[in-house]
Amino acid sequence: PALSPSAVGKMAVGKNKRISKGKKGGKKKATDPFLRKDWYDIKAPTVFSVRQVGKTLVTRTTGTKIASDALKGRVFEVSQADLQNNEEEAHRKIRLRVEDVQGRNCLTNFWGMDFTTDKLRSLVRKWQNIIEAFVDVKTTDGFTLRLFCIAFTMKRPGQVKRTAYAQASQIRAIRKKMVDIMIREAGTCDIKDLVAKFIPEAIGRDIQKACQGIYPLQNTFIRKVKVLKSPKFDLTKLMEVHGDYSEEVGAKLERAPVVAVEGDVPAV
C-alpha cells in the first residue's frame, strides 16, 4: 500500500540520523606541508671544481618513512658550467645521483651526461657529413655505460670544392675508429677517471686526431653517456670519489687534565 507523503518524510529522517548534522569529522585544518620538510645539501664528486651543487627538500623522518631513503636514488641534472665555474662549458649537462646521505649532506656520483639541444642543433650544417657511433663499455669498477659519439666532416686545407662529403667506406672506417677509441679509453679506467676525461673532451680530441688520415673531422664530441648498470653500493668507493669530504661536525675538544688540590676528597 502507498504511504502518505508525511509518513515518507518521517521515515527518511528517522532512518538517516546524519541528515540533519554536518559532514562527519569536520573540516581538516590545513597545514603547510613545507613545515614538515628539511633542506639537504647536494655534494658533487671531487673531479668537479664546485662541490656544493645546490639544495634539495625532503619530508622529515616519521615512523617507518625515513628521510635518507627518500633521498637515495634522486637524480639531479646540473650544467657543467656551474660545476666547473666556466660558462664556455654550458652546453653539457651532467647527471648526478644520490648514493648516500651523511648528516645534512647528499653524496652524489656520476649518473650520465648529455648535450643541450641548442648546441646539437648549432653543429648541424649543410655540405658536410654527420658521423655517429655508440658502444656499450664496462669500466674497471663495474659500471656499464653506453657512450654516444658525434663528429662532422670538414673541408681539407685549400679545398675549392664546396662540399665535404666522405665516402661510405671512409665513414665506416671512422665509425670503427670511434668505437675502438671509446672502448679503449672507457674500459681501462674507473668511473672517476673517465669523468675526468669527459670534462675537457679528451676522448673527442683523440678521435679527431686518429681519423685525420681517413678524412678531416671537426666538432668531435662524446655527446651523451648513459649509465645502464651500476655496481652494488660500496661506501669506501664513494668516499674515494668524495676524497676530501668530511662531515661538518663540531671539532672534538681535548679536556684539560684535572689537577688535584690538597684537601680534595677523591671521587669514588
Side-chain angles (χ1 to χ4, degrees):
L3 294 166
S4 64
S6 61
V8 170
K10 276 175 191 170
M11 193 174 78
V13 172
K15 287 274 184 195
N16 285 332
K17 291 196 168 68
R18 294 215 49 83
I19 279 178
S20 54
K21 295 175 188 174
K23 264 192 177 177
K24 199 170 188 178
K27 208 174 183 186
K28 258 193 174 179
K29 200 179 178 186
T31 55
D32 186 8
F34 280 84
L35 295 173
R36 299 197 306 274
K37 294 183 188 289
D38 284 327
W39 289 99
Y40 282 74
D41 291 328
I42 306 158
K43 298 284 181 190
T46 43
V47 282
F48 302 107
S49 53
V50 177
R51 303 290 308 285
Q52 177 65 36
V53 177
K55 288 179 180 289
T56 187
L57 266 178
V58 71
T59 308
R60 266 186 222 109
T61 303
T62 48
T64 53
K65 284 190 176 179
I66 300 159
S68 62
D69 291 349
L71 285 166
K72 281 174 194 171
R74 281 192 189 182
V75 178
F76 304 102
E77 198 170 75
V78 193
S79 169
Q80 194 175 302
D82 295 335
L83 289 168
Q84 293 297 100
N85 258 339
N86 183 2
E87 277 307 312
E88 287 175 12
E89 296 173 18
H91 58 270
R92 199 182 271 117
K93 298 178 289 185
I94 304 286
R95 285 160 68 82
L96 299 170
R97 182 170 178 253
V98 177
E99 297 287 333
D100 194 27
V101 180
Q102 295 192 358
R104 280 292 170 92
N105 295 316
C106 302
L107 304 187
T108 62
N109 204 353
F110 179 79
W111 195 251
M113 186 180 81
D114 203 356
F115 260 33
T116 55
T117 313
D118 61 299
K119 174 68 176 176
L120 276 175
R121 301 285 183 276
S122 71
L123 297 172
V124 180
R125 297 200 187 101
K126 289 202 289 184
W127 321 123
Q128 63 181 17
N129 283 124
I130 178 170
I131 303 166
E132 288 186 285
F134 70 91
V135 68
D136 292 358
V137 195
K138 192 170 186 177
T139 61
T140 53
D141 54 351
F143 279 87
T144 306
L145 307 171
R146 184 170 289 160
L147 309 183
F148 295 81
C149 183
I150 192 168
F152 300 87
T153 56
M154 66 183 280
K155 286 183 183 179
R156 287 193 166 93
Q159 184 179 319
V160 179
K161 197 168 133 186
R162 191 180 182 185
T163 59
Y165 296 136
Q167 292 172 355
S169 60
Q170 288 173 322
I171 291 172
R172 275 199 304 274
I174 288 169
R175 203 172 280 129
K176 189 177 183 306
K177 270 260 191 312
M178 282 178 169
V179 170
D180 291 346
I181 290 169
M182 284 193 286
I183 289 170
R184 187 191 74 208
E185 293 291 329
T188 55
C189 63
D190 61 7
I191 197 84
K192 188 183 174 185
D193 296 336
L194 190 58
V195 174
K197 289 178 187 178
F198 289 147
I199 294 167
E201 199 50 70
I203 299 173
R205 282 201 300 273
D206 283 356
I207 291 167
Q208 199 163 308
K209 210 180 282 178
C211 296
Q212 210 63 36
I214 304 166
Y215 204 98
L217 296 178
Q218 62 178 344
N219 298 328
T220 310
F221 301 107
I222 301 292
R223 68 168 182 87
K224 189 176 186 179
V225 179
K226 267 187 188 175
V227 178
L228 303 178
K229 226 185 223 172
S230 63
K232 210 172 160 194
F233 175 67
D234 185 355
L235 186 61
T236 51
K237 286 258 174 75
L238 184 69
M239 295 324 280
E240 280 173 29
V241 173
H242 289 264
D244 58 347
Y245 170 78
S246 59
E247 202 178 321
E248 280 139 35
V249 288
K252 195 178 177 186
L253 293 171
E254 289 296 322
R255 187 178 283 180
V258 179
V259 180
V261 183
E262 278 182 40
D264 275 2
V265 179
V268 180

